[in-house]
């Protein structure tokens, strides 16, 4: 028994060491980004201060930070509205995008009928269809959620189709040979193999989901960062425009991190799918 315990320790410590090395490598990869952002902010601050650039034209990073702190009691409630619209719309976009992708992959008739319509919906600029959503939903939050869902599901649906089409045929052959049904093979084999590519579409969607929500609010809403931006623009308070933009960037970054985390939890590290015999 004692020998068994001793034999398990190296494996556990080895796993912890690998995790520590991976974390250190990830932090090391972020160092150039941190340095670049710091240099950019320093140059930006110096340019505004030394050049005496009016704050109505462009605000210094220090002014943006100060304005964000001072207006946070009103900025945060607006952020919560946009955060709710974007998050709910994103979840709907993921669900409907994957389902539509599966439907278009499985049915040529559905593909021929729906894919052109889906593509056409994505080519329309938001400003051209926002008035329709205002007529249908008014200034309510539900209309913004629908807009976010419609504009967010296209890349997910496309990547789902492409991912399923890229699955090698032998995966299906093996599953069917073992007695699996076509439906079981689709849900448990093909989708698993295509999951990495599907996550690529989810990341693309997540990258602009909150910006879409804020733009929809700007065109017509009662609350949200879009209304905040509109009020800041009408009063020529440039620092507040940057504050709202900064908040959108931050919450988008948080969503992207959550997407990457969910991928790692569900699918494991990216190198886990690598062929161990590829280098031999």
């Amino acid at each position: 028994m004692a020998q068994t315990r001793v034999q398990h320790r190296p494996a556990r410590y080895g796993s912890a060491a690998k995790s520590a090395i991976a974390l250190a490598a990830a932090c090391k990869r972020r160092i150039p980004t941190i340095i670049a952002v710091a240099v950019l902010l320093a140059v930006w601050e110096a340019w505004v201060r030394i050049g005496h650039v009016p704050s109505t034209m462009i605000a210094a990073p220090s002014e943006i930070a100060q304005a964000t702190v001072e207006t946070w009691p009103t900025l945060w409630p607006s952020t919560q509205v946009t955060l709710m619209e974007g998050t709910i719309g994103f979840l709907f976009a993921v669900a409907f995008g994957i389902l539509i992708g599966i439907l278009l992959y499985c049915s040529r008739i559905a593909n021929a009928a729906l894919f052109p319509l889906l593509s056409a919906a994505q080519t329309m600029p938001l400003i051209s269809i926002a008035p329709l959503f205002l007529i249908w939903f008014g200034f309510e939050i539900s209309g913004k959620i629908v807009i976010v869902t419609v504009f967010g599901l296209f890349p997910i649906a496309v990547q789902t189709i492409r991912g399923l089409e890229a699955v090698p045929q032998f995966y299906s052959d093996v599953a069917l040979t073992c007695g699996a049904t076509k439906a079981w093979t689709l849900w448990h084999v093909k989708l698993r193999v295509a999951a990495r590519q599907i996550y690529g579409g989810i990341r693309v969607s997540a990258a602009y989901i909150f910006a879409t929500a804020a733009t929809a609010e700007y065109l017509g809403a009662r609350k949200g960062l879009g209304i905040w931006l509109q009020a800041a623009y009408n009063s020529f308070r440039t620092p507040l425009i940057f504050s709202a933009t900064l908040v959108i960037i931050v919450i988008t970054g948080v969503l992207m991190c959550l997407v990457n985390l969910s991928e790692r939890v569900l699918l494991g590290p990216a190198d886990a799918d690598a062929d161990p015999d590829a280098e031999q």
Side-chain angles (χ1 to χ4, degrees), residues 41 82 156:
L41 293 176
T82 304
I156 302 173

Side-chain angles (χ1 to χ4, degrees), residues 76 170 182:
W76 174 239
F170 69 83
K182 289 185 177 180

Side-chain angles (χ1 to χ4, degrees), residues 54-87:
S55 60
T56 54
M57 178 181 295
I58 188 169
S62 58
E63 294 175 334
I64 297 171
Q66 181 180 356
T68 302
V69 173
E70 291 177 351
T71 59
W72 187 250
T74 54
L75 179 58
W76 174 239
S78 298
T79 303
Q80 287 179 306
V81 174
T82 304
L83 190 62
M84 180 180 65
E85 294 169 350
T87 302

Side-chain angles (χ1 to χ4, degrees), residues 50-125:
I50 297 174
H52 301 288
V53 181
S55 60
T56 54
M57 178 181 295
I58 188 169
S62 58
E63 294 175 334
I64 297 171
Q66 181 180 356
T68 302
V69 173
E70 291 177 351
T71 59
W72 187 250
T74 54
L75 179 58
W76 174 239
S78 298
T79 303
Q80 287 179 306
V81 174
T82 304
L83 190 62
M84 180 180 65
E85 294 169 350
T87 302
I88 297 175
F90 176 68
L91 293 176
F92 279 133
V94 171
F96 288 126
I98 294 176
L99 289 176
I100 291 174
I102 294 172
L103 174 64
L104 299 185
Y105 168 76
C106 294
S107 173
R108 292 184 179 180
I109 296 176
N111 196 322
L114 298 180
F115 192 80
L117 299 177
L118 190 63
S119 301
Q122 300 302 309
T123 59
M124 290 187 297

